[in-house]
Amino acid sequence: MLNMAVDLLRHLRRSERIKYSVATPARLSLFALQRLNRDVFAIEIRENCGFFAIMQMVLFILMHCEENRLTPQVSARGGLYGDPEGSIDWFSALFENVRPLAVTTLPRRVWTSTVRDPVQLGFRQRYDARLQLRSASRLFYSYYRPASHIRDEVDSICTSLNISESSLGVHFRGTDKKFEAATLPWADFCRLVEQELTLNPHLTNIFVSSDEPAFIDFFCKFPFNRPINVAPAKLLSNGVRPVHFSGHSGLEIGREALVSSLLLSRCGYLVKMPSYLSAWSKIFNPDLSVTLAVPPRPQDFWFPDSQIWVGQQRAMGQNAV
């Protein structure tokens, strides 16, 4: 199984090679500008991709800064989660910096580079295979944490829905995710959830989160013999269109995605399909036990799900011996 994972990673590097080469001039220009900042690395993200795909970029930026003894200065505007004018830094609206910049140590002027595609940084090729779940969690929390209003909201929902170590978290990403991971019939996925409940009798209730209303209806009718609570998401997908392309308010979509991931991280166990959102629950809580129902496709075998899958296959191999 581990050899298969290595082959998948090699395939990924080849598939990204052309995009990486085309972006070389922009990447060289970006790093030339950032060298003027001396010990600060200032990046503004304006990317039209998923919320937690952008969080991956932030994680890569933090790795680069740690490696080169730089102070990260990260913002995110426009795109799918900000306003069209780019006046709102939505990253700062949702996360707090736990070590604010000391103004006296900054250069007189900080030059900020705008990134519209991850290949402009080139960090995925450099850092993705080096990321580990627990160290990534430590790294992120050493710089950022969810804003206080997000933490308060999560605490309130956990209380009202009885989300705790006794909860089995379930996340099913549908819509466009079929292009990034093998599909699994809903009934098969429910039987996997049922199996984990049998193996973990201390799990007394279920918390389910999904972007597909039809799946939630199907799941809630399955005879699990456990009470089921549904994530209080107001912004769901529109047919086959994923939620972040369904015309909802950008900042609200981002807030709901973050809250959903944090709620899953507060469960005692998680069963999931491939998804950055629920994979980041493992970053927010590295002690969370996770079962990944199917692997991501080879061309999308990225961290954190890549590490979750490899670790899961390794554990299965050891148990078989």
Side-chain angles (χ1 to χ4, degrees), residues 94-156:
L94 298 175
F95 293 93
E96 298 172 354
N97 192 331
V98 300
R99 40 171 146 176
L101 294 172
V103 177
T104 56
T105 66
L106 292 177
R108 186 167 298 175
R109 177 174 181 180
V110 173
W111 302 86
T112 300
S113 297
T114 299
V115 175
R116 300 184 185 277
D117 191 289
V119 295
Q120 288 180 256
L121 291 170
F123 289 163
R124 174 179 280 172
Q125 287 76 9
R126 187 182 307 174
Y127 296 124
D128 190 88
R130 292 165 52 184
L131 282 166
Q132 299 293 319
L133 293 163
R134 195 167 292 275
S135 59
S137 177
R138 286 196 300 268
L139 175 63
F140 184 79
Y141 275 123
S142 71
Y143 286 93
Y144 299 107
R145 65 182 177 184
S148 59
H149 66 93
I150 297 291
R151 301 198 307 272
D152 291 344
E153 181 178 359
V154 171
D155 287 341
S156 176

Side-chain angles (χ1 to χ4, degrees), residues 23-40:
T24 296
R27 188 166 51 253
L28 292 175
S29 176
L30 183 150
F31 283 99
L33 181 64
Q34 286 306 304
R35 279 194 289 272
L36 299 176
N37 292 333
R38 293 179 288 181
D39 58 351
V40 174

Side-chain angles (χ1 to χ4, degrees), residues 188-243:
D188 291 349
F189 182 79
C190 288
R191 280 190 283 271
L192 176 62
V193 172
E194 189 174 45
Q195 175 182 312
E196 295 301 338
L197 287 170
T198 301
L199 294 173
N200 297 277
H202 67 284
L203 300 171
T204 58
N205 62 82
I206 301 171
F207 171 71
V208 60
S209 176
S210 176
D211 61 337
E212 273 197 79
F215 168 78
I216 293 175
D217 291 341
F218 181 90
F219 186 87
C220 289
K221 293 174 183 176
F222 199 88
F224 290 113
N225 197 29
R226 298 286 199 287
I228 300 172
N229 289 307
V230 179
K234 299 176 182 177
L235 310 177
L236 298 173
S237 61
N238 180 10
V240 298
R241 293 173 65 85
V243 62

